């Protein structure tokens, strides 16, 4: 039988990292819809992130994206976060918006352009020194659009060389987490297209290099929980970028498109003790709230992760193991489905009440009056966005 107090303790100890860019304007190539009250700078993004943590109790860290979150003094930004119960999480590099990176950044044929890209990655490590962040999160848009456009192997050589230089710069407690993505913005080859490519580069680099699984970055039909189980077994699962999709990299609220997939993924995490602090798996959101209210969307997303986590922690692993050992196909499946079909909302409401929180985080946010306040106060200036 599952120990409910252990489940509750794990839920209270959960830490979900929210993305600074999730609070800013975002959209598609067709349109970026601005919203009233959107932050104008990283400080206001942190103020909004603090509302998510205040309402949920499990969102104490915020990922930064450079240059979108560039400030004069990152120690000041870290202190500002600290005063609001937050810490600064992964530092995301950005080598996908500079004109010089049209045909690649670290994989570009021209060594001068590669140098520029590596200098940016090294600057991100300098920023980590100032913010106290552990993770340098690398996602490269690098790739090609037409067969023959460039040499696939040569680009891997260039990538490996750049990663090795940055890896050597990392501090003892710092990590490099390498994200893969099947396609977009490149539409023929992507230089880090799948988990295997990321994993292979990480193995070559060393123990401080781990893989980021963005749940929106796979070919349709990919069994993501298999990848998660494999990487956990290898000790190379560094982080999740949680979101959900119906078609491509839709970056919708995690759990909104396929809550069963999220449950299956977190079941593999729970079963492999992936929630244990020692495993150092970062649970991050990477989403864009193109048409919905941004702070409520992040709160809802955190709740979706909590619900899937609670269901995963309720799986009776002893009964599951016994059924699997006995080859009881339907029995084993039923154990998992019983957990998935459990309504965990009362349990989470209880956990929140025990944390001194409103059992309904969205009701708490509505009652805070924060939304009305930022709409009234944040007038003028330039709203934050991707600047794409
Ligand atoms: C790329 C990605 C990456 C971030 C960006 C905001 O699609 O998932 O993690 O840099 O979104
Ligand atoms: Mn991502």
């Amino acid at each position: 039988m599952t120990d409910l107090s252990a489940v509750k303790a794990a839920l209270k100890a959960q830490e979900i990292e929210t993305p600074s860019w999730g609070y800013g304007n975002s959209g598609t190539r067709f349109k970026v819809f601005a919203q009233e009250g959107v932050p104008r700078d990283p400080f206001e993004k942190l103020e909004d992130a603090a509302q998510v943590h205040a309402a949920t109790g499990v969102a104490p860290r915020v990922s930064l994206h450079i240059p979108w979150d560039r400030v004069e003094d990152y120690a000041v930004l870290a202190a500002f976060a600290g005063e609001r119960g937050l810490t600064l999480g992964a530092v995301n590099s950005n080598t996908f918006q500079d004109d010089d990176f049209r045909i690649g950044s670290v994989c570009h044929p021209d060594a001068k352009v590669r140098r520029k890209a590596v200098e940016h990655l090294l600057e991100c490590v300098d920023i980590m020194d100032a913010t106290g962040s552990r993770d340098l999160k690398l996602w490269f848009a690098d790739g090609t659009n037409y067969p023959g456009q460039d040499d696939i192997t040569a680009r891997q050589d260039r990538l490996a060389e750049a990663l090795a230089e940055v890896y050597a710069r990392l501090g003892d407690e710092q990590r490099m987490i390498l994200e893969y993505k099947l396609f977009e913005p490149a539409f023929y080859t992507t230089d880090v297209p799948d988990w295997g490519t990321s994993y292979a580069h990480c193995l070559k680099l060393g123990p401080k290099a781990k893989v980021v699984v963005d749940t929106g970055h796979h070919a349709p039909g990919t069994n993501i929980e298999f990848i998660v189980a494999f990487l956990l077994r290898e000790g190379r699962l560094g982080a999740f970028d949680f979101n959900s999709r119906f078609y491509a990299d839709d970056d919708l609220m995690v759990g909104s498109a396929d809550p069963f997939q999220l449950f299956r993924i977190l079941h593999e995490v729970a079963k492999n003790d992936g929630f244990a602090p020692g495993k150092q798996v970062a649970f991050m959101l990477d989403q864009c709230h193109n048409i919905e209210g941004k702070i409520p969307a992040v709160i809802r997303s955190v709740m979706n992760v909590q619900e899937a986590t609670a269901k995963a922690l309720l799986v009776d692993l002893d009964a599951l193991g016994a059924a699997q050992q006995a080859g009881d196909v339907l029995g084993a499946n039923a154990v998992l489905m019983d957990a998935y079909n459990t309504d965990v909302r009362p349990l989470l409401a209880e956990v929140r009440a025990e944390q001194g929180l409103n059992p309904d985080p969205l009701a708490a946010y509505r009652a805070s009056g924060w939304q009305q306040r930022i709409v009234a106060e944040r007038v003028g200036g330039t709203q934050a966005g991707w600047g794409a």
Side-chain angles (χ1 to χ4, degrees), residues 21 65 68 92-93 96 137 139 179 181 214 217 241 249 251 286 386:
W21 56 97
H65 218 298
W68 301 338
N92 287 258
S93 63
F96 52 88
K137 177 157 162 260
W139 170 70
E179 185 174 358
K181 181 175 180 179
D214 183 312
H217 286 188
D241 261 5
D249 190 17
D251 280 340
D286 177 9
W386 285 37

Side-chain angles (χ1 to χ4, degrees), residues 16 18-19 52 56 58 242-244 251-256 262 285-289 292-309 362:
I16 299 162
T18 68
V52 174
T56 65
V58 293
F242 281 137
N243 50 64
S244 67
D251 280 340
L252 299 172
M253 292 188 297
V254 59
S256 61
L262 181 62
L285 302 181
D286 177 9
Q287 303 175 170
C288 297
H289 311 110
E292 69 270 30
K294 299 172 189 297
I295 299 170
V298 179
I299 292 174
R300 178 70 256 178
S301 302
V302 169
M303 294 167 66
N304 287 353
V305 175
Q306 287 184 298
E307 289 173 17
T309 302
L362 285 168

Side-chain angles (χ1 to χ4, degrees), residues 151-372:
D151 185 294
I152 294 173
T153 310
R155 292 178 74 93
Q156 289 301 308
D157 296 340
R158 299 162 194 163
L159 172 64
E161 186 187 320
L163 292 174
E165 180 177 347
V166 177
Y167 187 89
R169 164 70 182 80
L170 294 174
D172 295 346
E173 302 312 313
Q174 295 176 330
R175 305 187 312 173
M176 168 188 287
I177 52 177
L178 180 59
E179 185 174 358
Y180 58 87
K181 181 175 180 179
L182 184 63
F183 79 102
E184 190 212 32
F187 296 107
Y188 170 54
T189 67
T190 291
D191 295 300
V192 187
D194 54 30
W195 72 273
T197 306
S198 174
Y199 175 61
H201 280 286
C202 289
L203 286 181
K204 285 251 179 61
L205 290 161
K208 293 189 283 187
K210 306 222 176 181
V211 179
V212 177
V213 174
D214 183 312
T215 47
H217 286 188
H218 304 82
T222 300
N223 186 320
I224 300 175
E225 58 269 29
F226 173 88
I227 298 169
V228 169
F230 185 97
L231 292 171
L232 276 166
R233 181 172 173 275
E234 300 297 317
R236 291 287 176 160
L237 177 65
F240 286 101
D241 261 5
F242 281 137
N243 50 64
S244 67
R245 50 75 153 311
F246 289 104
Y247 303 102
D249 190 17
D250 308 352
D251 280 340
L252 299 172
M253 292 188 297
V254 59
S256 61
D258 190 344
F260 185 42
Q261 180 188 58
L262 181 62
F263 162 77
R264 298 193 313 266
I265 289 170
L266 293 176
H267 165 60
E268 291 303 330
V269 172
K271 191 166 65 57
N272 293 289
D273 205 20
F275 290 114
K279 278 284 170 69
Q280 295 204 319
V281 176
F283 299 90
M284 309 186 289
L285 302 181
D286 177 9
Q287 303 175 170
C288 297
H289 311 110
N290 300 343
I291 59 174
E292 69 270 30
K294 299 172 189 297
I295 299 170
V298 179
I299 292 174
R300 178 70 256 178
S301 302
V302 169
M303 294 167 66
N304 287 353
V305 175
Q306 287 184 298
E307 289 173 17
T309 302
K311 292 177 183 221
L313 292 170
L314 287 174
V315 173
D316 184 338
L317 293 176
D318 298 340
L320 180 66
Q324 289 170 340
Q325 207 48 49
D328 177 0
V329 175
L330 293 178
N333 176 251
V335 172
L336 219 62
M337 295 315 291
D338 286 349
Y340 179 66
N341 293 322
T342 302
D343 183 354
V344 294
R345 293 171 293 184
L347 169 65
L348 283 164
E350 212 174 295
V351 164
R352 294 182 187 117
E354 289 171 9
Q355 291 173 298
L357 298 172
N358 182 320
D360 179 349
L362 285 168
Y365 178 66
R366 282 192 296 274
S368 73
W370 181 259
Q371 194 62 33
Q372 294 76 5

Side-chain angles (χ1 to χ4, degrees), residues 7-23:
V7 169
K8 287 175 126 178
L11 290 170
K12 289 172 183 169
Q14 186 161 37
E15 294 193 348
I16 299 162
E17 184 165 321
T18 68
S20 66
W21 56 97
Y23 302 104

